[in-house]
Amino acid sequence: MLKIGDIEMKNKVVLAPMAGVCNPAFRLIAKEFGTGLVCAEMVSDKAILHGNKRTMEMLFVDEREKPLSLQIFGGDRESLVEAAKVVDQQTNADIIDINMGCPVPKVTKCDAGARWLLDPNKIYEMVSAVTAAVSKPVTVKMRIGWDDEHIFAVDNAKAVESAGGKAVSVHGRTREQQYTGKANWDIIRDVKQAVSIPVIGNGDVFSPEDARRLLEHTGCDGVMIGRGALGNPWMLYRTKHLAWYLKGLPGAARVKDVIMEETGRDKLVEILDQYISSLNEEELTSIAGGSQTAH
């Protein structure tokens, strides 16, 4: 089984910390479907230190979600360390994860996220500062490199290990690839062979068969599932976002935006009831037929 520091998971399946997706509702669904470890979406170190209300809500951990990893990001050592202390001392998260893979320009321009991939020394400096300041296990989620010309995955993972990191998750794409092309599992395998801390492989896992192939190909200690779980937590079970569950249904586009703005259960039920009522008999028959076929 996957073990990070003294935190032991019941299996090797990890839910990726997807921005805008991994809220408590979705994480609980993932847990109910048997996920060993769930990761909350990344939170800015500066936002944590400013005590932003929305940010503080994002740090809430339901006991049923545990073990859980809270992910933080930032480019300034002092603020990253202080934010890590908040997560360490004021939340009941089990693991503190540092984002080193986010490809979004507004993050990389702040010298955060995937920007670190260009400098193993920066990684060592930042991670060692955090591990020295907290008692919870510290992990890192990274990509294999910035672009095809700058793939320092092995050196970067070694820097994480040397700095006291307890595990590293590796997405088999570069920052330049974003989510296009194929994930390079060979480089994930190279990382696994180069370090002794647990390595969690990520990228192109859309089925239980993919998960098995990744684990066999790389020798990884765990498999991280991201986009493959969207609207399909059954996949997690076999290895809440309502808008994803509506994908492909007739006329779903007109209700998706409304649903995403709602937080109350009763209102959501009302919206979905209205949506069902608006469908004609032929559309309803088509949906019913599709669900029977799926089973």
Side-chain angles (χ1 to χ4, degrees), residues 5-17:
D6 56 357
I7 310 297
E8 197 161 349
M9 299 356 126
K10 63 181 181 180
N11 57 48
K12 298 183 176 188
V13 181
V14 181
L15 178 70

Side-chain angles (χ1 to χ4, degrees), residues 4-287:
I4 297 174
D6 56 357
I7 310 297
E8 197 161 349
M9 299 356 126
K10 63 181 181 180
N11 57 48
K12 298 183 176 188
V13 181
V14 181
L15 178 70
M18 296 173 285
V21 175
C22 287
N23 60 25
F26 190 75
R27 298 193 309 253
L28 275 171
I29 289 173
K31 270 292 178 186
E32 286 173 11
F33 278 91
T35 308
L37 175 67
V38 294
C39 304
E41 60 183 298
M42 67 178 190
V43 184
S44 157
D45 57 351
K46 298 283 199 296
I48 291 173
L49 298 181
H50 289 154
N52 176 284
K53 182 174 181 291
R54 166 81 180 119
T55 301
M56 292 301 111
E57 289 172 356
M58 289 171 74
L59 297 182
F60 172 75
V61 179
D62 187 307
E63 281 295 318
R64 293 171 294 172
E65 301 177 67
K66 291 165 69 66
L68 175 138
S69 169
L70 268 177
Q71 188 181 73
I72 59 176
F73 74 93
D76 174 72
R77 182 170 67 174
E78 189 177 329
S79 58
L80 191 71
V81 167
E82 290 307 312
K85 285 182 182 176
V86 172
V87 176
D88 189 48
Q89 299 164 15
Q90 298 179 32
T91 80
N92 59 342
D94 302 279
I95 296 164
I96 301 169
D97 189 62
I98 301 174
N99 181 288
M100 203 171 83
C102 182
V104 179
K106 71 176 182 181
V107 172
T108 57
K109 281 177 183 172
C110 299
D111 202 22
R115 195 78 202 173
W116 294 20
L117 299 172
L118 292 165
D119 188 355
N121 292 326
K122 162 100 172 178
I123 292 166
Y124 177 81
E125 174 196 330
M126 299 288 269
V127 176
S128 59
V130 172
T131 57
V134 301
S135 58
K136 292 177 178 175
V138 175
T139 61
V140 166
K141 183 172 191 294
M142 69 180 197
R143 286 174 174 256
I144 56 172
W146 180 261
D147 56 27
D148 287 341
E149 305 300 314
H150 301 85
I151 294 180
F152 306 144
V154 169
D155 287 341
N156 290 341
K158 284 181 175 178
V160 170
E161 181 176 38
S162 299
K166 298 299 184 187
V168 61
S169 302
V170 185
H171 183 172
R173 288 181 172 84
T174 64
R175 182 265 170 189
E176 188 178 65
Q177 278 182 280
Q178 303 254 344
Y179 297 97
T180 64
K182 282 192 69 175
N184 189 324
W185 290 359
D186 289 346
I187 294 175
I188 299 176
R189 180 183 58 201
D190 293 344
V191 170
K192 171 58 189 168
Q193 292 173 354
V195 297
S196 57
I197 57 174
V199 176
I200 300 164
N202 177 218
D204 291 349
V205 177
F206 295 100
S207 70
E209 291 73 25
D210 291 339
R212 187 183 304 111
R213 282 194 307 109
L214 181 143
L215 289 169
E216 289 173 353
H217 185 92
T218 64
C220 275
D221 304 276
V223 57
M224 181 174 277
I225 299 170
R227 291 171 299 150
L230 293 177
N232 186 20
W234 299 275
M235 205 280 268
L236 293 168
Y237 172 70
R238 290 174 58 211
T239 324
K240 175 84 183 161
H241 279 256
L242 290 171
W244 284 95
Y245 295 127
L246 293 172
K247 187 177 180 182
L249 298 184
R254 65 177 182 264
V255 293
K256 279 185 179 180
D257 289 343
V258 184
I259 279 177
M260 293 304 274
E261 294 300 317
E262 280 301 328
T263 54
R265 183 183 183 280
D266 291 343
K267 186 64 178 174
L268 280 173
V269 171
E270 182 183 329
I271 292 167
L272 290 171
D273 281 342
Q274 289 172 356
Y275 166 62
I276 294 295
S277 302
S278 72
L279 298 175
N280 60 43
E281 194 167 324
E282 186 177 329
E283 289 172 327
L284 286 169
T285 303
S286 167
I287 293 170

